[in-house]
Amino acid sequence: MQQIDTLIHARWIIPVEPAGTVYEHYSLAIHDGRILDLLPSSQAQKQYTSSNTLMLDEHALLPGLINTHTHAAMSLFRGLADDLPLMDWLNNHIWPAETAWVNSDFVHDGTQLAIAEMLRGGTTCFNDMYFFPDEVARLAASSGIRAAVGLILIDFPTAWATDADEYLSKGLAIQDSYRNHPLVSTVFAPHAPYTVSDVPLQKIQVLAEELDLQIHIHLHETRDEVQQSEQQQHCRPIERLEKLGLLSPRLLAVHMTQLNDEEIEKIALTGTHVVHCPESNLKLASGFCPVQQLNQAGVNVALGTDGAASNNDLDMFGEMRSAALLAKAVAGDASAIPAETALRMATLNGAKALGIDGTTGSLQIGKAADIIAVQLNDIEDQPIYNPISHIVYACSRHKVSDVWVAGKHLLKNRSLTTLDEQGIIETAKDWRERIKKRDEPKN
Ligand SMILES: [Zn+2]
């Protein structure tokens, strides 16, 4: 008998690789933060012993979900301005609120709230884009969640940096200090083609090659964005990024609701990844990402929630379901994005886009033990023919009972082990009071 750190016996294990596989009465052996073995429970009981053995006989184990695009700290703006189109929402509500409130305390408290929400909903890794990424990196490391921390760059000054050079140098300092961190990686995060000019985009392209980093940008989010670029730059944003050498397997293009056939081909040929945020696109009426067409062209499509100000939750279960349903409506084809594809988009495809699929994204021997357990024993779960179908079409994030990242048990029977839930709730309420007071009309 081999002594190991953790042994989990489960009713079902959905490894995501091989595609569509569901193992029944299987076990996961975890040691030193990694998946040591994946085998039938009857065998596991003979082969392994652990003082930390869990019997999850009403649960499905699956890889932790990867939220491949978010602005975590914006959870403090959840519900602050709803039901507005993107440019009105950004120019008249979000950017003024950010100017008034965003500092390192805001980012600390908002990101902590977001990490708690994400862990409780089965998200074990997030790709962030926000100011004060140093706070995001510190919090990810201390809470134990995996994160790709965006080194943000935007042409205008904010409380974080004054110009492109300062955004870059501050970002590079963070990259340097987390270079070998087991949980925190860094990704360049120029905000969007309409907020970042050519020179900094070129610098990022060169640095990304040198440092072997991914680049994360909002792209073709709305028709207005594309039209404005056609008028001012005399080309579409994708064309401009192509000229700057940015279309490549390093690029994560977020949203992509405005695409012609030629652009889809270009995205596929260059190996550019697409991050689909269905609920944010629906809420801001930004348009529809042609996910089925991208899929058929061979493009790697991952899923993200976007920030909680435009969603308004960080719920990857909701995102999987919305992505699957929306893809069918957009393609006029009920077979578009089946449940197992939606699950792959929320796990392995995100890991691929972030360049960390050797570490996470599926339950494979040797990968990090980034695992979630979904309890399927309630009225609303019955009967169960196919647990993958339930995960995508029938159950909610509230069914996530346990979460491990790199073998560390971060959510234990729905309680967070590294974060103070009550303290986080109180802090969010305090921010609400301060933000509300400023927004009230003065007389
Ligand atoms: Zn976004």
Side-chain angles (χ1 to χ4, degrees), residues 163-181:
D163 57 22
D165 286 340
E166 194 183 0
Y167 281 103
L168 266 184
S169 63
K170 283 185 143 177
L172 290 172
I174 297 168
Q175 190 272 334
D176 198 43
S177 39
Y178 286 88
R179 206 182 314 177
N180 298 313
H181 198 279

Side-chain angles (χ1 to χ4, degrees), residues 23-24 118 139 220 260 283 308 317 389 402 416:
Y23 297 119
E24 288 200 54
M118 288 191 278
L139 273 170
H220 283 220
N260 56 39
K283 185 158 185 277
F317 279 78
S389 163
D402 295 82
L416 294 168

Side-chain angles (χ1 to χ4, degrees), residues 217-346:
I217 192 167
H218 296 107
L219 187 61
H220 283 220
E221 182 170 2
T222 60
R223 191 184 305 148
D224 282 356
E225 172 196 335
V226 176
Q227 282 172 348
Q228 192 193 316
S229 173
E230 282 170 336
Q231 282 158 11
Q232 294 170 3
Q233 314 270 350
H234 310 291
C235 63
R236 290 161 69 90
I238 286 181
E239 238 178 299
R240 187 171 144 229
L241 294 196
E242 187 188 20
K243 282 182 205 149
L244 293 168
L246 279 157
L247 297 191
S248 82
R250 292 204 181 280
L251 190 70
L252 283 75
V254 182
H255 297 309
M256 302 288 260
T257 72
Q258 314 292 319
L259 294 174
N260 56 39
D261 290 347
E262 195 191 317
E263 285 165 341
I264 290 173
E265 208 185 303
K266 209 172 273 178
I267 293 302
L269 280 175
T270 54
T272 301
H273 307 273
V274 169
V275 185
H276 177 38
C277 301
E279 293 187 2
S280 173
N281 294 159
L282 286 167
K283 185 158 185 277
L284 296 168
S286 300
F288 304 109
C289 175
V291 177
Q292 171 76 340
Q293 257 182 289
L294 288 166
N295 223 24
Q296 283 169 345
V299 176
N300 180 50
V301 183
L303 278 185
T305 58
D306 214 347
S310 69
N311 188 306
N312 293 357
D313 55 34
L314 307 177
D315 177 1
M316 288 295 292
F317 279 78
E319 232 52 51
M320 277 192 280
R321 189 180 309 175
S322 298
L325 298 181
L326 190 60
K328 296 172 200 316
V330 169
D333 174 2
S335 69
I337 312 300
E340 66 175 75
T341 307
L343 179 60
R344 177 176 277 251
M345 286 165 72

Side-chain angles (χ1 to χ4, degrees), residues 46 88 122 132 153 159 178-179 186 218 254 264 275-276 287 302 315 353 374 386 391 397 409 432:
K46 291 179 202 146
D88 182 7
F132 298 90
L153 192 146
Y178 286 88
R179 206 182 314 177
T186 50
H218 296 107
V254 182
I264 290 173
V275 185
H276 177 38
D315 177 1
V374 183
N386 174 1
I391 300 287
R397 60 175 164 172
H409 208 165
R432 185 253 181 210

